[in-house]
């Protein structure tokens, strides 16, 4: 009886020691501030105080397999790149597209998604892909996005007659579209699909006018050595099936491609000139 109790006590001691070590290890993990837009489904959004979304879950997974934690910092998209460039946050996610201009002020990991842009109009609108973005149409986009930049640089600056309206969030743009104060809204396709699937009073008239690579970004100079960990974590997420799981959950119409994409950013930017 004494020997049996001794074994039990020994087992309890080992279990307790391992448990305490795991707590200590978890407490010792570095915690990085993850800048997000908490109103940008399916990438990141807040619901009853809880952060959800494809990018949020993927960054949580990457942290688990690469040995760090992330805590969300909700920042308006129009100010989020500046916040990262000044070191106020450590990582930036939420459907962030790589651009050569952005790469001058922040550093990017390899892309983990590729997306095109859609143009939405109100459900009963008679506009088509051409008339929705010409003849003085009021076209909205979220401030600071590549969608807004494309409207300005590829249409407005090249003489196309449109009025571009910038919004703090896509949700505000959708409401303006539904209320008739906008003729069209230009947004990435996963977000557009989300609003259509939610039965909002919108439909698409344009698809695939341009596409972007989505990639996580870090503070300039990568002072926390995160890029290598993020790239490694994305690869593990694909190989383990985590990417496919998240695609089925948040982007059920899409295909889980092998990532990270091996994009040579220097070559990409030189060819874009």
């Amino acid at each position: 009886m004494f020997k049996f109790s001794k074994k039990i006590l020994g087992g309890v001691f080992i279990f307790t020691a391992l448990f305490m070590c795991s707590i200590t290890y978890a407490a010792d993990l570095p915690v990085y501030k993850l800048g997000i837009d908490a109103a940008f489904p399916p990438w990141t959004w807040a619901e009853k105080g809880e952060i959800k979304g494809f990018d949020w879950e993927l960054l949580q997974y990457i942290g688990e397999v690469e040995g760090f934690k992330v805590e969300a910092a909700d920042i308006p998209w129009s100010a989020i790149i500046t916040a990262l460039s000044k070191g106020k946050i450590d990582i930036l996610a939420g459907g962030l597209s790589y651009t050569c201009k952005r790469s001058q002020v922040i550093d990017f990991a390899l892309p983990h998604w590729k997306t095109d842009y859609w143009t939405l109009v109100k459900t009963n609108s008679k506009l088509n892909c051409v008339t929705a973005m010409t003849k003085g149409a009021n076209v909205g986009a979220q401030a600071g996005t590549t969608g807004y930049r494309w409207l300005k640089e590829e249409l407005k600056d090249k003489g196309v007659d449109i009025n571009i309206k910038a919004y703090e969030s896509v949700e505000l743009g959708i409401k303006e579209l539904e209320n008739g104060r906008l003729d069209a809204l230009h947004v990435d396709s996963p977000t557009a699909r989300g609003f259509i699937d939610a039965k909002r009073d919108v439909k698409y008239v344009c698809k695939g006018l341009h596409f972007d690579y989505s990639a996580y970004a870090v503070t300039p100079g990568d002072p926390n050595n995160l890029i290598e960990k993020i790239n490694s974590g994305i690869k593990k997420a694909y190989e383990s099936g985590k990417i496919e799981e998240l695609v089925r959950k948040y982007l059920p119409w899409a295909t889980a491609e092998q990532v990270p994409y091996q994009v040579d950013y220097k070559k990409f930017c030189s060819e874009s000139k």
Side-chain angles (χ1 to χ4, degrees), residues 139-159:
V139 184
Q142 187 175 19
T145 64
T146 51
Y148 180 90
R149 177 182 59 82
W150 186 85
L151 290 174
K152 182 179 183 301
E153 295 179 0
E154 299 300 323
L155 297 184
K156 185 72 174 181
D157 292 352
K158 292 183 178 180

Side-chain angles (χ1 to χ4, degrees), residues 66-112:
E66 296 297 328
F68 63 88
K69 292 184 176 182
V70 292
E71 60 180 23
D74 183 16
I75 300 173
W77 196 257
S78 58
I80 206 165
I81 291 176
T82 299
L84 182 63
S85 69
K86 293 183 176 180
K88 294 181 179 179
I89 53 177
D90 305 300
I91 310 173
L92 178 49
L96 177 70
S97 299
Y98 174 87
T99 71
C100 301
K101 185 176 181 180
R102 286 174 177 171
S103 70
Q104 295 174 6
V105 293
I106 56 178
D107 289 344
F108 284 86
L110 290 172
H112 60 276

Side-chain angles (χ1 to χ4, degrees), residues 136-199:
N138 293 315
V139 184
Q142 187 175 19
T145 64
T146 51
Y148 180 90
R149 177 182 59 82
W150 186 85
L151 290 174
K152 182 179 183 301
E153 295 179 0
E154 299 300 323
L155 297 184
K156 185 72 174 181
D157 292 352
K158 292 183 178 180
V160 177
D161 184 18
I162 63 168
N163 300 308
I164 307 173
K165 307 290 184 181
Y167 293 95
E168 195 70 32
S169 70
V170 178
E171 174 64 31
L172 289 176
I174 288 288
K175 288 179 179 178
E176 291 288 272
L177 189 61
E178 291 175 321
N179 292 333
R181 288 188 284 269
L182 268 184
D183 297 306
L185 185 71
H186 197 59
V187 66
D188 70 90
S189 58
T191 305
R193 284 180 183 270
F195 284 111
I196 291 172
D197 291 345
K199 307 300 182 184

Side-chain angles (χ1 to χ4, degrees), residues 30-52:
V31 180
Y32 300 112
K33 289 185 179 180
L34 173 64
I36 63 167
D37 177 348
F40 199 49
W43 306 115
T44 52
W45 78 93
E47 187 175 314
K48 296 180 180 179
E50 182 182 357
I51 303 297
K52 296 185 176 183

